[in-house]
Amino acid sequence: IRALLLCSCLGLLRPGGGQPFLRLRPSPSDNLPVKDIVEHPDPEYDPKEQDLDERTLRKKLGSHFDPGFMAVAVPGPANASGAEAAAGRGRAALPAELRRLELGPPQGPRLKVGKKARRKVLQWLWAYTYCPVLYTWKDLGVRFWPRYIKEGNCLAEKSCSLPEGMFCKPVKSVTKTFLRWHCQGWSSQKYCTWIPVQYPLISECKCSC
């Protein structure tokens, strides 16, 4: 897939020290989820209390605020663990392509089975190859608002194919807009403000090579 990633390349420091430039424009990548961003450790470049007024920031983010994928305070668990998701694969609805599957060898005659037996075989196949999106809350840190994002991952603990060799991988993504605290300049001359940035999230996983 071609997804937009938040590029975390750091620029060079000017003489006298200061915050490196963090390049926030999206760049193409086939890798999701987004890797952790390396932040400058100096708290001088963190937003102050007056910069974190929730009412002001909600107004600035506007309709981009999505409570289903972002949170201001520490949220609860996002969804089931990997083991629970794997156990619940068989409860998901069978996809159309699987319902049309003909049982039997590719070049041989169809395998004649009863409806109940066929349904059980297809449910077992779907349980084995199903690739759910597992969501967990991630803390982006004080320099993002909202600072918590519900990030998707693909369950890749074991192969999802028969014979083995294929694994659950991301095939679709959605982009959410957050606010990023960004400083330009150095020491007393720096200027900091909130700017909008796009953050891609896995929205669908599929069993693939």
Side-chain angles (χ1 to χ4, degrees):
I1 62 173
R2 303 294 294 176
L4 293 179
L5 286 187
L6 196 64
C7 181
S8 57
C9 301
L10 295 178
L12 299 175
L13 288 172
R14 291 180 182 175
Q19 185 191 31
F21 280 114
L22 180 62
R23 298 180 186 178
L24 296 166
R25 61 180 177 82
S27 62
S29 176
D30 291 328
N31 298 314
L32 283 178
V34 175
K35 296 184 182 298
D36 292 341
I37 295 172
V38 179
E39 298 278 17
H40 193 289
D42 191 344
E44 179 67 22
Y45 297 95
D46 291 346
K48 306 300 187 285
E49 184 176 352
Q50 64 268 23
D51 301 313
L52 293 169
D53 180 69
E54 182 175 343
R55 185 175 180 179
T56 301
L57 294 177
R58 275 183 180 266
K59 184 177 180 180
K60 188 176 184 68
L61 192 58
S63 60
H64 293 296
F65 185 85
D66 185 348
F69 284 90
M70 52 188 71
V72 178
V74 181
N79 66 359
S81 65
E84 291 171 333
R89 284 174 169 178
R91 294 194 293 270
L94 292 176
E97 60 267 25
L98 193 56
R99 293 197 300 270
R100 294 192 297 266
L101 181 68
E102 298 292 347
L103 300 179
Q107 304 300 326
R110 289 178 54 186
L111 184 63
K112 294 182 180 181
V113 296
K115 289 184 178 181
K116 187 174 182 181
R118 171 183 166 80
R119 184 169 62 250
K120 285 187 176 181
V121 170
L122 294 181
Q123 286 175 338
W124 179 83
L125 284 173
W126 181 225
Y128 197 91
T129 61
Y130 176 52
C131 290
V133 179
L134 303 180
Y135 288 103
T136 55
W137 285 102
K138 179 178 181 179
D139 185 356
L140 297 176
V142 72
R143 295 176 189 173
F144 281 86
W145 195 93
R147 67 179 289 172
Y148 297 97
I149 184 172
K150 191 167 73 172
E151 192 170 60
N153 286 272
C154 298
L155 183 65
E157 297 174 353
K158 66 181 185 68
S159 176
C160 56
S161 64
L162 291 172
E164 294 187 356
M166 299 171 70
F167 292 88
C168 293
K169 295 183 179 181
V171 292
K172 288 185 181 180
S173 64
V174 295
T175 300
K176 300 297 178 181
T177 299
F178 285 73
L179 296 178
R180 166 73 174 171
W181 186 248
H182 184 56
C183 294
Q184 291 182 303
W186 284 261
S187 301
S188 60
Q189 302 300 317
K190 71 179 185 297
Y191 169 75
C192 301
T193 188
W194 291 103
I195 62 174
V197 294
Q198 293 186 325
Y199 198 107
L201 299 169
I202 295 171
S203 60
E204 184 178 335
C205 303
K206 190 174 183 179
C207 190
S208 62
C209 298

